[in-house]
Amino acid sequence: MARGFRQKIRQKNTENSGFGSNASGRFINKDGFPNVKRRGVNVFNKLSWYHTMLNLSSFRFLSYLVIAYVVVNLCFAFIYYLIGVEHLTGIDKSDPLNEFIDVFFFSSQTFTTVGYGRIAPVGFMASLVATFEAFLGLLTFAIATGLFYGRFSRPRAYLRFSDNAVIAPFQDTTALMFRLAPYKNNALSDADVIVSTAIEVIENGVPKSNFYRLEIQLSKINTLALNWTIVHKIDENSPFYGFTEEDFKNTDIEIIIQVRAFDEVFSNTVVQRTSYVSEEIIFGAKFVPMYSPSKDNLSTILDLDKINEYQKTELPSAIEVQQ
């Protein structure tokens, strides 16, 4: 069977997805960012460096800062070394390696404006470079401080999604399900979810993507404290009505999710997105419960290690196939 689904879908496709019907590839990456590559602008206009640094993981952010710090000081150390170590007082001149090490640490002291005083510039060129380096250091640390503050003060949803969506038994039919859970101690309220799907269809021999809004059984909850299983019932109102396991496997399908909630600490709205493609939809499975009462029955234990756990199950045998 071709990747495009030829069966006519009853539901009317939506026009407000934000993506065109001739877009290709995955629309939303697992991390929630659109899978779009922009051309026609240079790298300085294409990227917002502030947003890029805020969106980096903590490890990469700190690694970039350390690498930049070392590289900048190495560059200035080479400049001082080219000017001549005789223009710096207090340098250990026993061998070239010791000279360069002393020059490097003088650069780091100047860049951070520590200035221990053992090594000092002598002459116009060395003093000029040291002055510029100290000025650059003040600007750099001011920017780094702003980035640190922005990363700590930025409100985020801190939601973890299951790696897979499942097609599970639900009431008298089946349903598409996935789940999410908050993994930090932030307080989220008035959470709502918007789920849509992109299905590749064949029209006049040409593949195109149609977008459909998926109806959710419970699309809004007052408090997001435990895990939340999102359920889309596959009935005659669903674009997946009549889909078999082979259809899910052989059709390009992407489930696009947007969760919006109110962070009570920041008093601000937070948003998080993700998506599931055909290969991440498991047919005939149901999630394992991930929360249970504590031993003393005084609290509830939410086991985030179980968010991806599921077990295979039998689906209703009489699944109506759309004619």
Side-chain angles (χ1 to χ4, degrees), residues 92-146:
D92 182 3
K93 300 180 181 180
S94 57
D95 61 73
L97 178 60
N98 287 336
E99 290 178 355
F100 188 80
I101 290 175
D102 276 356
V103 169
F104 175 82
F105 284 116
F106 167 71
S107 173
S108 65
Q109 294 161 19
T110 304
F111 189 75
T112 58
T113 68
V114 173
Y116 290 115
R118 183 175 71 86
I119 303 175
V122 177
F124 176 77
M125 286 302 299
S127 298
L128 179 64
V129 173
T131 300
F132 176 74
E133 184 179 11
F135 174 72
L136 182 63
L138 290 173
L139 292 180
T140 302
F141 279 98
I143 294 173
T145 301

Side-chain angles (χ1 to χ4, degrees), residues 155-157 186-192 220-224 259-271:
R156 298 184 184 182
N186 54 331
L188 299 178
S189 60
D190 294 331
D192 64 83
K220 186 172 184 178
I221 57 177
N222 294 331
T223 301
L224 185 52
V259 179
R260 183 187 295 108
F262 183 77
D263 190 307
E264 298 176 9
V265 175
F266 286 98
S267 189
N268 205 341
T269 300
V270 290
V271 178

Side-chain angles (χ1 to χ4, degrees), residues 18-311:
F19 295 96
S21 61
N22 60 344
S24 62
R26 191 168 191 154
F27 295 100
I28 300 292
N29 294 318
K30 292 294 285 185
D31 58 7
F33 288 95
N35 184 26
V36 177
K37 296 181 179 179
R38 297 174 177 85
R39 292 182 179 178
V41 291
N42 58 50
V43 66
F44 296 103
N45 291 329
K46 181 169 62 175
L47 294 178
S48 168
W49 298 105
Y50 180 73
H51 288 84
T52 301
M53 297 301 289
L54 289 188
N55 290 324
L56 289 175
S57 65
S58 297
F59 177 78
R60 293 182 64 184
F61 176 72
L62 293 176
S63 298
Y64 287 166
L65 287 184
V66 172
I67 293 173
Y69 177 77
V70 172
V71 169
V72 168
N73 282 291
L74 283 174
C75 292
F76 276 102
F78 276 112
I79 294 175
Y80 290 123
Y81 200 79
L82 291 175
I83 293 175
V85 295
E86 64 274 9
H87 294 283
L88 297 173
T89 62
I91 295 291
D92 182 3
K93 300 180 181 180
S94 57
D95 61 73
L97 178 60
N98 287 336
E99 290 178 355
F100 188 80
I101 290 175
D102 276 356
V103 169
F104 175 82
F105 284 116
F106 167 71
S107 173
S108 65
Q109 294 161 19
T110 304
F111 189 75
T112 58
T113 68
V114 173
Y116 290 115
R118 183 175 71 86
I119 303 175
V122 177
F124 176 77
M125 286 302 299
S127 298
L128 179 64
V129 173
T131 300
F132 176 74
E133 184 179 11
F135 174 72
L136 182 63
L138 290 173
L139 292 180
T140 302
F141 279 98
I143 294 173
T145 301
L147 290 174
F148 269 106
Y149 176 77
R151 289 177 63 87
F152 278 107
S153 63
R154 176 190 177 188
R156 298 184 184 182
Y158 294 111
L159 299 176
R160 184 172 297 172
F161 293 85
S162 57
D163 291 340
N164 298 97
V166 299
I167 303 297
F170 182 74
Q171 296 176 355
D172 56 346
T173 179
T174 59
L176 171 75
M177 302 182 186
F178 62 91
R179 62 182 177 183
L180 56 95
Y183 61 91
K184 285 188 180 289
N185 59 341
N186 54 331
L188 299 178
S189 60
D190 294 331
D192 64 83
V193 61
I194 299 174
V195 183
S196 58
T197 183
I199 303 177
E200 186 178 273
V201 297
I202 303 296
E203 292 186 2
N204 300 322
V206 178
K208 61 175 293 188
S209 294
N210 285 346
F211 294 86
Y212 306 91
R213 178 68 61 88
L214 300 185
E215 295 295 330
I216 304 302
Q217 291 294 306
L218 183 63
S219 62
K220 186 172 184 178
I221 57 177
N222 294 331
T223 301
L224 185 52
L226 298 174
N227 67 286
W228 185 12
T229 301
I230 311 300
V231 179
H232 165 66
K233 185 178 181 180
I234 302 178
D235 55 15
E236 60 274 8
N237 297 317
S238 170
F240 300 128
Y241 183 64
F243 271 45
T244 64
E245 183 175 3
E246 289 300 314
D247 293 331
F248 277 102
K249 289 181 179 179
N250 298 324
T251 306
D252 276 332
I253 298 172
E254 182 173 351
I255 312 297
I256 302 172
I257 301 103
Q258 175 177 289
V259 179
R260 183 187 295 108
F262 183 77
D263 190 307
E264 298 176 9
V265 175
F266 286 98
S267 189
N268 205 341
T269 300
V270 290
V271 178
Q272 190 164 331
R273 301 177 183 86
T274 191
S275 70
Y276 299 97
V277 293
S278 303
E279 293 78 8
E280 297 165 347
I281 302 175
I282 300 174
F283 200 85
K286 64 179 181 179
F287 287 114
V288 174
M290 58 181 295
Y291 68 87
S292 59
S294 61
K295 293 182 179 180
D296 56 8
N297 288 321
L298 297 178
S299 60
T300 302
I301 305 300
L302 179 64
D303 192 351
L304 291 170
D305 290 331
K306 294 183 178 180
I307 192 169
N308 298 316
E309 290 189 13
Y310 63 87
Q311 59 187 21

